[in-house]
Amino acid sequence: MAHTVEKIGGTSMSRVNELRDTLFIGDREGTDLYGRIFVVSAFGGITNLLLEHKKSGKPGVYAQFANADTDHGWHEALDRVSDAMIAAHRAVLDSAADTERADEFVRDRIEGARNCLIDLQRLCSYGHFRLAEHMLQIRELLSGLGEAHSAFVTTLLLQRAGVDARLVDLSGWRDEGDVTLEERIETAMKGVDPMTEMPIVTGYAQCAEGLMREFDRGYSEVTFSMMAALTGAREAIIHKEFHLSSADPNLVGPGAVRKLGRTNYDVADQLSNMGMEAIHPKAAKTLRQADVPLRVTNAFEPHDPGTLIDDQPADEAAVEIVTGLDIIALEVFEQDMVGVKGYDAAILDTLTRHDVRIVSKVSNANTITHYVDSSLKSMRRVEKDLAAKYPSAEIRSRTLSLASVIGRDLRGLSVLTRGLQAIADAGLESIGATQGPRNVDVQFILDREDLKPAIKALHGAFIEDQARELPRVA
């Protein structure tokens, strides 16, 4: 088929009325409006209120319900979600009739969820039932509320503008049966013709696999990629509020960064490892296997082609992006480690049990150091468990940062040597550095306060000083 599948993130969705006039419609007329399936996230901030704040961890409805000593906390949190949803759609809808329909939609879904949670609490007051056994299903239920709301509102908005938009709700609201993700999508898309209408699809899909169990907040990209693969899309497109560029423009300056324009899934995986996902690795795998190329664009520059991500190697060696991440170094030193197997497996098991994400790792004869993306609170638990297992080991956690220079092909560029020199020339010191034989990234370990100036120095050395014919970000 000649259609595309396109995803819009939550921050951009909060400006969906602007996107109506540019991305959705723009200068298109008639049949040119169609041939596009849109997968939408919840309006900005809604999922944080439903679950917990993604960055700060501030509890939302789910966290309040899970830890409630009384009912007041989660009820009030659910009321805040309702108020935020209503405020979000009233900010983008122009028609009073559409606003009234959206208000009623929110009331129906919020009160339905409230009644479900009340009934579950009542059921679990009996000794045969345990609330903990149902918490994942509760997280799934709450997650779907945000995407169902934004998809419903977007459909109303586009229909009011004369577009033949169609809501495709994958959230499983009041549906019977436990179906796979493929079955959920295929059933919902039966009778839908993207060449003559515009499907607006919820980023959350209820399925037997449980998207939250494996992907947590990355579920919308998994839905998006599966939709593209199953419908045979010619291209999958992610619309962000910015271009995929050589560094954070707020850090190195908007005039210094360059739009990537073209890269591959290998680089996308490295970006994911650094916490700045172009796309979830599982979603990328689905697209790769289905031979569907990915494009990342700026939602508010609809005529700019953005950056194409495919499986193709680079035409020539080049640094493409410089980024960084605050990390914690978990160092396990044991004099008797040398020549003894089992230490690494035990450390990995402990990190996995405490749900700690590993970014990188180095080791020598008697020391294993994992660079992880976690909180100090979690690391204290890890240290306690490891100390119990290895009482004679020296175990410590240290807050650091990691700067990464990434490209499809870094061969022959002396990135490690030149990077260390650029950091030193900026008056900084690299605590450590690693480079693998695949030549797609080089990592520099630094003190926390040195990360931003180090990224700026590395970007200056590898991007700004190179005569590369890449278009600048506007």
Side-chain angles (χ1 to χ4, degrees):
M1 296 186 69
H3 72 277
T4 58
V5 174
E6 311 187 19
K7 177 185 176 297
I8 305 175
T11 308
S12 298
M13 281 301 298
S14 295
R15 299 165 61 186
V16 69
N17 53 335
E18 297 177 45
L19 295 179
R20 172 195 57 195
D21 302 326
T22 54
L23 178 64
F24 288 107
I25 300 177
D27 53 9
R28 295 181 175 87
E29 295 181 353
T31 57
D32 289 341
L33 286 165
Y34 305 108
R36 298 176 294 162
I37 299 172
F38 286 94
V39 177
V40 299
S41 297
F43 288 114
I46 297 297
T47 306
N48 285 339
L49 292 174
L50 283 165
L51 304 178
E52 66 282 319
H53 196 284
K54 191 172 183 178
K55 293 183 178 179
S56 71
K58 182 179 179 181
V61 178
Y62 173 82
Q64 293 273 14
F65 185 82
N67 302 310
D69 294 324
T70 68
D71 290 342
H72 297 296
W74 72 264
H75 276 289
E76 292 170 359
L78 199 55
D79 290 340
R80 286 192 290 272
V81 172
S82 177
D83 292 342
M85 283 182 169
I86 291 172
H89 68 239
R90 288 185 177 180
V92 298
L93 292 174
D94 301 322
S95 164
D98 291 343
T99 299
E100 185 176 341
R101 289 184 64 189
D103 286 351
E104 181 57 35
F105 182 90
V106 170
R107 282 192 291 269
D108 176 66
R109 294 292 173 110
I110 292 293
E111 293 312 310
R114 191 192 307 274
N115 290 334
C116 177
L117 296 183
I118 290 171
D119 289 343
L120 185 58
Q121 277 189 328
R122 185 182 299 116
L123 178 67
C124 291
S125 66
Y126 294 88
H128 293 80
F129 302 94
R130 294 288 181 270
L131 186 60
E133 297 173 359
H134 303 282
M135 290 310 297
L136 184 59
Q137 286 80 6
I138 293 169
R139 194 169 177 84
E140 297 270 349
L141 171 73
L142 293 171
S143 297
L145 296 178
E147 275 81 8
H149 170 242
S150 63
F152 181 80
V153 171
T154 303
T155 303
L156 290 178
L157 185 77
L158 294 173
Q159 288 174 344
R160 182 65 59 180
V163 178
D164 190 4
R166 177 168 175 169
L167 172 65
V168 179
D169 188 354
L170 304 178
S171 69
W173 186 254
R174 299 186 187 281
D175 284 358
E176 294 183 3
D178 207 11
V179 299
T180 67
L181 178 58
E182 286 191 26
E183 291 169 337
R184 175 71 67 191
I185 291 174
E186 288 172 344
T187 300
M189 292 300 290
K190 280 182 181 178
V192 178
D193 182 4
M195 306 311 292
T196 60
E197 56 188 334
M198 186 182 292
I200 306 299
V201 185
T202 58
Y204 170 78
Q206 190 279 329
C207 58
E209 300 97 307
L211 292 186
M212 294 297 295
R213 180 185 298 111
E214 187 171 356
F215 310 110
D216 201 57
R217 302 286 281 269
Y219 58 79
S220 63
E221 291 183 358
V222 176
T223 303
F224 154 76
S225 64
M226 187 63 74
M227 176 67 73
L230 291 177
T231 61
R234 64 177 172 83
E235 195 169 82
I237 304 174
I238 294 181
H239 298 289
K240 296 182 177 288
E241 281 201 303
F242 49 83
H243 283 295
L244 194 58
S245 56
S246 57
D248 182 350
N250 295 322
L251 180 57
V252 303
V257 298
R258 296 179 182 275
K259 185 180 70 179
L260 294 193
R262 183 80 178 264
T263 192
N264 64 17
Y265 284 115
D266 206 347
V267 168
D269 286 344
Q270 307 311 317
L271 294 179
S272 176
N273 189 48
M274 295 300 296
M276 53 170 299
E277 292 180 358
I279 185 171
H280 192 284
K282 171 65 175 180
K285 178 181 178 181
T286 299
L287 294 176
R288 282 200 308 269
Q289 292 178 339
D291 198 25
V292 177
L294 172 69
R295 190 177 297 275
V296 180
T297 74
N298 185 322
F300 300 94
E301 296 181 16
H303 295 293
D304 191 301
T307 294
L308 181 66
I309 302 175
D310 55 23
D311 263 336
Q312 297 304 306
D315 294 330
E316 60 182 16
V319 171
E320 297 178 17
I321 189 166
V322 181
T323 185
L325 178 72
D326 284 340
I327 57 170
I328 295 175
L330 173 68
E331 184 179 275
V332 179
F333 167 80
E334 169 63 86
Q335 193 69 59
D336 297 330
M337 185 186 297
V338 59
V340 179
K341 297 179 180 179
Y343 282 90
D344 204 9
I347 296 170
L348 287 172
D349 179 67
T350 303
L351 291 171
T352 300
R353 190 166 62 253
H354 290 281
D355 196 27
V356 174
R357 189 176 75 86
I358 301 168
V359 179
S360 189
K361 169 194 162 185
V362 294
S363 63
N364 59 27
N366 53 22
T367 307
I368 298 175
T369 303
H370 285 87
Y371 300 118
V372 303
D373 180 15
S374 181
S375 66
L376 279 171
K377 184 178 180 181
S378 294
M379 296 312 296
R380 295 293 176 253
R381 298 192 188 106
V382 170
E383 289 179 40
K384 183 178 179 181
D385 285 3
L386 288 175
K389 188 171 185 63
Y390 301 115
S392 62
E394 294 180 17
I395 303 167
R396 67 168 183 162
S397 295
R398 179 181 176 187
T399 56
L400 295 170
S401 63
L402 186 154
S404 184
V405 177
I406 302 170
R408 285 170 287 176
D409 183 3
L410 302 180
R411 287 177 294 182
L413 299 180
S414 302
V415 173
L416 182 60
T417 304
R418 291 169 58 199
L420 288 170
Q421 187 61 56
I423 290 171
D425 289 345
L428 308 172
E429 181 181 1
S430 180
I431 298 169
T434 60
Q435 178 176 11
R438 190 165 172 79
N439 284 302
V440 293
D441 74 322
V442 178
Q443 299 175 345
F444 302 91
I445 308 301
L446 307 131
D447 286 325
R448 283 273 174 105
E449 62 270 20
D450 291 343
L451 178 60
K452 291 181 179 180
I455 291 175
K456 193 172 178 68
L458 292 167
H459 188 270
F462 291 110
I463 305 292
E464 298 168 49
D465 292 348
Q466 307 304 308
R468 297 175 59 201
E469 298 299 322
L470 286 176
R472 289 188 178 275
V473 177

